[in-house]
Amino acid sequence: QALHEALATAVLELDEALTVQLAEQVIARGLDAWTAIEEGLIAGMNRAGTLFDEEEYFVPELLIASDAMYAGLAVLRPHIRNEQAGHGRRVVIGVVQGDTHDIGKNLVRIMLEAAGFEVFDLGRDVPAQNFIDRAVEVRADLIALSTLMTTTMEQMAQVVRLLEAGHIRERFKVIVGGAPISQHFAERIGADGYAPRAAQAVQLARRLTG
Ligand code: B1M
């Protein structure tokens, strides 16, 4: 789809105005909003990430690319198909302590909300105990943990350990995700599941809380 490709390029080239204009075209043409987010906005952000890894882009470029991505998201988000309105299961979500990468987490949140979950977003750099306090407070069904750095993965294990220490492990399902995370890691730390991408996180959340 040429429009998706154009969207990805607009994000990569840091062109916020063009990103918005193309997102509006997606809606005007009646194309699927989530596909445009995944194959356009996220694809563009991932390509910017590759340039960052190759040291062609630096922090300022990434932040401008994410501004463009969020501007496109603002246009597309209201048009994501709401598949299960009123489903109402509660999710506490956040990025674990030590990590401030929150783009992926925000996408997972948006998808969960679109699927009818009630989401409590604790933001980024969240201490393990905060996830638990909030989950108890709002009587969450699920705790969703995101991290993008290998150095902070262990914080996910810490959340599971604290749940076990408090004898409340069985009250909440725990799911994990983010670039360095795998099914194997999820099993090792005793989480209930892993999803590689935002859309799969919704399927997993549905399955675990259904
Ligand atoms: Co940073 N960064 N960064 N960064 N950054 C990485 C992660 C890194 C791999 C780059 C590299 O060195 N090759 C590296 C981590 C290395 C490691 O693992 N140890 C790194 C580093 C080192 C850092 C700093 C320490 C750099 C520095 O200051 N020296 C610093 C971190 C400070 C801190 O947090 N303590 C830093 C800062 C930044 C920016 C601020 C510039 C920016 C973040 C902006 C923001 O998030 N607000 C940034 C970015 C953008 C990246 C890269 C380039 C891209 C990440 C991204 O947003 N991708 C990244 C390299 C890369 O990935 N190529 C890198 C797009 C996003 C849509 O994908 O988040 O993977 P992602 O989410 C996906 C899936 O993973 C999944 O769904 C999403 C979409 O489908 N998913 C879940 C995510 N969470 C999920 C949860 C689920 C399920 C699925 O269930 C609960």
Side-chain angles (χ1 to χ4, degrees), residues 4-112:
H4 295 158
E5 181 54 34
L7 260 178
T9 306
V11 170
L12 180 66
E13 292 180 353
L14 319 177
D15 194 336
E16 183 172 327
L18 182 60
T19 306
V20 168
Q21 209 184 310
L22 293 167
E24 284 165 350
Q25 276 185 44
V26 167
I27 301 309
R29 290 196 205 167
L31 299 172
D32 181 64
W34 182 254
T35 310
I37 290 172
E38 279 208 310
E39 289 174 17
L41 300 178
I42 301 180
M45 197 59 219
N46 285 339
R47 278 184 226 164
T50 306
L51 292 188
F52 180 73
D53 293 341
E54 291 168 356
E55 297 188 357
E56 280 208 33
Y57 271 15
F58 297 95
V59 172
E61 283 86 357
L62 282 185
L63 293 177
I64 302 169
S66 66
D67 282 349
M69 185 201 73
Y70 282 123
L73 211 48
V75 175
L76 295 172
R77 184 182 173 156
H79 300 275
I80 298 174
R81 258 178 292 148
N82 197 334
E83 290 169 28
Q84 278 197 358
H87 170 289
R89 298 285 188 195
R90 295 182 163 188
V91 181
V92 165
I93 193 170
V95 178
V96 300
Q97 185 159 38
D99 189 354
T100 59
H101 295 90
D102 63 357
I103 296 173
K105 180 269 294 170
N106 289 340
L107 293 169
V108 175
R109 184 194 70 208
I110 287 167
M111 284 300 282
L112 286 169

Side-chain angles (χ1 to χ4, degrees), residues 72-157:
L73 211 48
V75 175
L76 295 172
R77 184 182 173 156
H79 300 275
I80 298 174
R81 258 178 292 148
N82 197 334
E83 290 169 28
Q84 278 197 358
H87 170 289
R89 298 285 188 195
R90 295 182 163 188
V91 181
V92 165
I93 193 170
V95 178
V96 300
Q97 185 159 38
D99 189 354
T100 59
H101 295 90
D102 63 357
I103 296 173
K105 180 269 294 170
N106 289 340
L107 293 169
V108 175
R109 184 194 70 208
I110 287 167
M111 284 300 282
L112 286 169
E113 286 173 348
F117 286 86
E118 189 178 351
V119 184
F120 300 83
D121 186 353
L122 307 191
R124 52 196 190 176
D125 193 13
V126 180
Q129 187 64 45
N130 289 16
F131 285 102
I132 290 156
D133 293 346
R134 194 84 171 114
V136 168
E137 185 196 329
V138 304
R139 296 210 202 106
D141 300 285
L142 185 84
I143 300 175
L145 307 171
S146 175
T147 196
L148 267 262
M149 299 200 298
T150 50
T151 45
T152 45
M153 286 165 70
E154 215 31 49
Q155 281 297 315
M156 294 178 157

Side-chain angles (χ1 to χ4, degrees), residues 154-166:
E154 215 31 49
Q155 281 297 315
M156 294 178 157
Q158 179 63 9
V159 172
V160 177
R161 276 197 294 268
L162 287 175
L163 286 170
E164 284 166 353

